[in-house]
Amino acid sequence: MIQIVFLLLSHENITAKQLAGELGVSTRTIYRDVNILSIAGIPILSRKGYRGGLSLLQGFSLDKSYFTQEEQKNIVQALQILKSSNYPDAEKALNKVAGLFSHNLQSEWLEIDFSYWGSPEKERNNITVLERAIINKYVITFTYFNSELTVTDQIAEPLKLLFKSHAWYLVAYSKRREAIRTFRMSRIRDLQITDQIFDRELPEDFSITPVYKEEYNIPIFVLHFSEKIAYKVYDEFPEKNIKKLEDGKLEVTFRYQLSDWTFLYLLSFGEYVEIIEPAEAREILKEKAKKICSMY
């Protein structure tokens, strides 16, 4: 919406179709955002007919006096966080807004970097494609590599992009599963937008975080970690789930499913973790360790 205001400031008159072309969205989205801006107090005029279009009330300007100093700082910091998450064109928007507010980006006391080593350009491109698909409600197709080591071809209705714990996720209705699912962006390949339109909306009570209940029968793991990797244990688990034992080891109690992902994750701790409970999980990890040994 800020981009719409900037385009209106730089044009005496511009049509909704031209705005849609500039921003890569539908005219329906433009009219929706213009309505929101008008409600927020931005004086946008609409003229029909020959030489009609959208324009700002003559004499209107959006300058730093429109926001308080605290609001300016919050807007700049929000854009800095968005930039750090590798969101496309966030840096361009940050520089424009910082220039508008006369904000010195070089003197920032905080630097945030959510990217992982080797974060691919492909993921950033996918975000741009998905933004268009979500706004215009286009069905998408893609290949997905899930945590259970399974590759599937997906047809989905994209509903929301979400950034959580150092990674981007796509929330979408999977036609294959006939349910809303969450897909990690780094595992999406061959993303394509179709010309099929959908009407589905994301339920208001949707949460990416699963609610674990005892009746789900998800076992409780008791893990003992060597004090040599205490730093990693405190990085990975909530402190309330960690107890220091008399021998210096760290005991972690946590709910895990008996899935391939769980055991691959635990194997990443190498010789520094032991499963105490459940017994079934001990046996599964033991068999996986034997298979690894047989390879060397």
Side-chain angles (χ1 to χ4, degrees):
M1 283 187 279
I2 289 178
Q3 288 176 295
I4 291 176
V5 176
F6 276 118
L7 286 169
L8 290 172
L9 283 168
S10 60
H11 294 81
E12 288 187 10
N13 192 71
I14 187 169
T15 66
K17 185 176 181 180
Q18 289 172 322
L19 282 173
E22 286 278 350
L23 301 177
V25 299
S26 67
T27 53
R28 181 179 65 177
T29 299
I30 293 297
Y31 284 123
R32 182 199 66 192
D33 290 348
V34 165
N35 185 52
I36 293 171
L37 289 168
S38 297
I39 293 171
I42 306 295
I44 300 175
L45 305 178
S46 177
R47 295 185 180 87
K48 295 182 179 180
Y50 180 65
R51 291 189 178 179
L54 301 168
S55 62
L56 288 168
L57 184 68
Q58 190 171 1
F60 174 83
S61 63
L62 180 65
D63 59 25
K64 58 186 178 182
S65 66
Y66 191 78
F67 300 99
T68 66
Q69 286 292 327
E70 189 65 23
E71 288 171 336
Q72 292 176 37
K73 184 177 73 172
N74 290 342
I75 290 171
V76 170
Q77 288 180 346
L79 285 170
Q80 285 177 317
I81 292 172
L82 199 59
K83 172 193 169 188
S84 300
S85 68
N86 288 326
Y87 196 88
D89 296 328
E91 183 173 9
K92 188 188 298 183
L94 173 62
N95 290 332
K96 286 182 178 179
V97 172
L100 180 67
F101 294 157
S102 301
H103 190 95
N104 183 7
L105 295 177
Q106 300 303 316
S107 61
E108 286 305 316
W109 61 274
L110 176 66
E111 180 176 345
I112 304 168
D113 186 357
F114 289 123
S115 64
Y116 51 88
W117 297 111
S119 182
E121 182 69 24
K122 183 70 175 177
E123 186 173 325
R124 289 191 286 273
N125 293 338
N126 280 350
I127 291 174
T128 302
V129 172
L130 285 170
E131 180 182 16
R132 177 176 165 234
I134 292 169
I135 290 173
N136 294 285
K137 292 188 173 295
Y138 288 126
V139 173
I140 59 172
T141 63
F142 57 90
T143 301
Y144 190 68
F145 298 76
N146 70 17
S147 59
E148 300 302 315
L149 312 179
T150 303
V151 181
T152 57
D153 291 324
Q154 295 282 343
I155 300 174
E157 299 172 359
L159 301 170
K160 188 176 187 179
L161 281 179
L162 186 148
F163 191 84
K164 182 178 176 68
S165 185
H166 308 284
W168 281 101
Y169 293 86
L170 167 67
V171 179
Y173 179 83
S174 168
K175 294 197 173 186
R176 186 172 182 272
R177 299 291 295 273
E178 296 185 343
I180 292 176
R181 290 289 184 264
T182 302
F183 303 92
R184 182 163 172 150
M185 291 285 295
S186 59
R187 299 174 189 162
I188 290 176
R189 296 292 184 275
D190 304 322
L191 175 64
Q192 299 290 331
I193 293 181
T194 73
D195 56 5
Q196 185 180 348
I197 303 294
F198 67 92
D199 294 320
R200 193 182 310 277
E201 299 288 344
L202 186 67
E204 292 183 4
D205 60 350
F206 173 81
S207 173
I208 191 175
T209 304
V211 178
Y212 292 135
K213 298 181 180 179
E214 290 184 11
E215 58 264 31
Y216 288 175
N217 199 29
I218 297 177
I220 296 175
F221 277 64
V222 178
L223 309 170
H224 283 185
F225 289 91
S226 167
E227 58 186 344
K228 292 181 180 180
I229 59 166
Y231 67 93
K232 188 173 182 181
V233 174
Y234 283 104
D235 281 347
E236 296 287 327
F237 300 96
E239 192 168 349
K240 67 179 181 179
N241 296 98
I242 304 171
K243 181 173 74 174
K244 189 165 186 178
L245 304 178
E246 290 183 1
D247 61 1
K249 292 181 179 178
L250 298 175
E251 182 177 273
V252 173
T253 305
F254 217 74
R255 285 189 182 275
Y256 283 118
Q257 293 180 325
L258 296 174
S259 65
D260 281 335
W261 182 91
T262 296
F263 294 105
L264 286 172
Y265 174 66
L266 293 176
L267 283 168
S268 72
F269 292 95
E271 63 190 276
Y272 300 112
V273 65
E274 178 186 1
I275 299 176
I276 305 302
E277 297 177 10
E280 182 182 359
R282 283 181 64 90
E283 290 303 314
I284 292 173
L285 192 65
K286 185 189 298 184
E287 289 304 313
K288 289 185 178 294
K290 286 180 180 178
K291 289 180 181 179
I292 292 173
C293 288
S294 68
M295 295 170 62
Y296 297 92

